[in-house]
Amino acid sequence: MRLRRAIGWHRPDVLSVDCFDTLLLRGIESEEDRIRRLGFRIAASLEPRGIRVDPQAVASTRLAAARAEYRAAAREDREARHDTILGLQCLALGLDPSFAGPAAPLAEAEIEQETCDLRPNLPLAKLLREVRRRGTRVIVVSDMYLPATAILRLLENAGVAGDVDRVYSSSDHGATKRAGRLFDVVVKAEGVRADRMLHAGDCRLGDLEAPRRRGIAAVRLPRHHLTLARSMRRAGNLIVGEPAHV
């Protein structure tokens, strides 16, 4: 394994890994398709409360809210936040704003669906356990709108939370991996020199180029077959007139 060789070469004090498509794996389904399924899950969860909503309206408002929040985040040089996305969705659907809270129906439905959709990268998890037993600290660093507490729940549900010491999410710190500033946060919080850290993940910019610019050794763990499959699926969606995930 590429990462095992890098660990042997660098012998880091802190090993940092990406979460999604690295430690937790997704299939080829696009975000839009996942959100469409989520619309039905949320509609079903609200019905016992006497609230009837159209699943398609739930999905379309969730997508629109995410686009709006990501545009705002790009202007402000930060990561999008899940609570803001859900707050905008509640506003669009006419739901009580409290439904956007961390333990409220909308957020819980998303965690439930992510739990069903994600699977652990078992070979990587095994390597992380070995590394931790040898005394190296293992952390997860993710560019994600979900807070670290939610990501930790997903790791727990996948059975791999015990293989990491801490989770850092860009949405908690207002700084991203791809811009490099989240790595500055991590280095300071961990009390480690940049050259004593090794990072690994699937994204060329956020997981390879950005940490190297910060003096952090990095190795990319690409999933070429998945990238190709998702590209083919997006092309198919465009042909039939459906929105493609960007």
Side-chain angles (χ1 to χ4, degrees):
M1 180 188 282
R2 183 179 307 181
L3 179 56
R4 185 182 293 276
R5 291 196 300 270
I7 292 169
W9 177 260
H10 293 285
R11 298 188 179 278
D13 295 329
V14 176
L15 173 61
S16 164
V17 296
D18 174 47
C19 184
F20 300 98
D21 285 333
T22 299
L23 183 53
L24 295 181
L25 305 178
R26 298 186 187 277
I28 67 170
E29 189 178 36
S30 71
E31 182 179 358
E32 282 78 5
D33 289 339
R34 291 198 303 272
I35 297 300
R36 289 189 186 99
R37 287 192 294 108
L38 177 64
F40 286 94
R41 182 183 291 271
I42 289 176
S45 72
L46 293 176
E47 193 165 342
R49 299 169 180 262
I51 301 172
R52 293 184 177 274
V53 290
D54 179 8
Q56 293 184 351
V58 175
S60 63
T61 55
R62 174 60 173 77
L63 289 168
R67 292 187 185 110
E69 168 61 356
Y70 268 100
R71 284 195 296 268
R75 289 194 303 269
E76 299 164 13
D77 190 26
R78 60 173 176 83
E79 182 61 273
R81 290 180 56 90
H82 194 222
D83 55 355
T84 302
I85 292 171
L86 297 187
L88 291 171
Q89 184 183 20
C90 283
L91 183 64
L93 290 171
L95 296 176
D96 189 312
S98 66
F99 280 29
L106 270 62
E108 284 300 301
E110 293 205 17
I111 293 297
E112 290 170 5
Q113 179 155 306
E114 290 280 32
T115 296
C116 293
D117 291 348
L118 294 165
R119 60 186 175 85
N121 184 337
L122 295 178
L124 177 57
K126 180 180 178 182
L127 177 59
L128 299 184
R129 283 195 295 274
E130 294 175 10
V131 168
R132 290 185 77 234
R133 281 198 297 266
R134 294 199 296 267
T136 300
R137 184 167 166 84
V138 175
I139 60 177
V140 166
V141 181
S142 179
D143 269 357
M144 184 59 168
Y145 54 79
L146 290 173
T149 52
I151 295 174
L152 183 59
R153 282 185 62 190
L154 294 174
L155 293 170
E156 289 170 347
N157 293 343
V160 295
D163 301 323
V164 303
D165 295 294
R166 182 171 174 179
V167 176
Y168 293 87
S169 173
S170 56
S171 64
D172 290 328
H173 300 281
T176 65
K177 288 188 302 182
R178 56 189 178 273
R181 292 193 297 116
L182 184 56
F183 289 110
D184 298 336
V185 171
V186 170
V187 166
K188 182 176 180 179
E190 291 294 318
V192 66
R193 294 202 325 255
D195 63 358
R196 297 303 305 148
M197 185 171 159
L198 172 65
H199 179 76
D202 68 299
C203 177
R204 177 177 294 279
L205 175 58
D207 295 315
L208 183 68
E209 296 174 1
R212 285 182 174 178
R213 287 198 300 267
R214 258 40 184 193
I216 298 170
V219 57
R220 190 182 178 207
L221 307 175
R223 300 180 69 202
H224 295 301
H225 65 287
L226 182 60
T227 301
L228 176 60
R230 285 176 177 168
S231 297
M232 293 174 65
R233 189 181 184 96
R234 284 198 297 269
N237 285 346
L238 285 173
I239 290 171
V240 298
E242 297 178 1
H245 175 52
V246 177

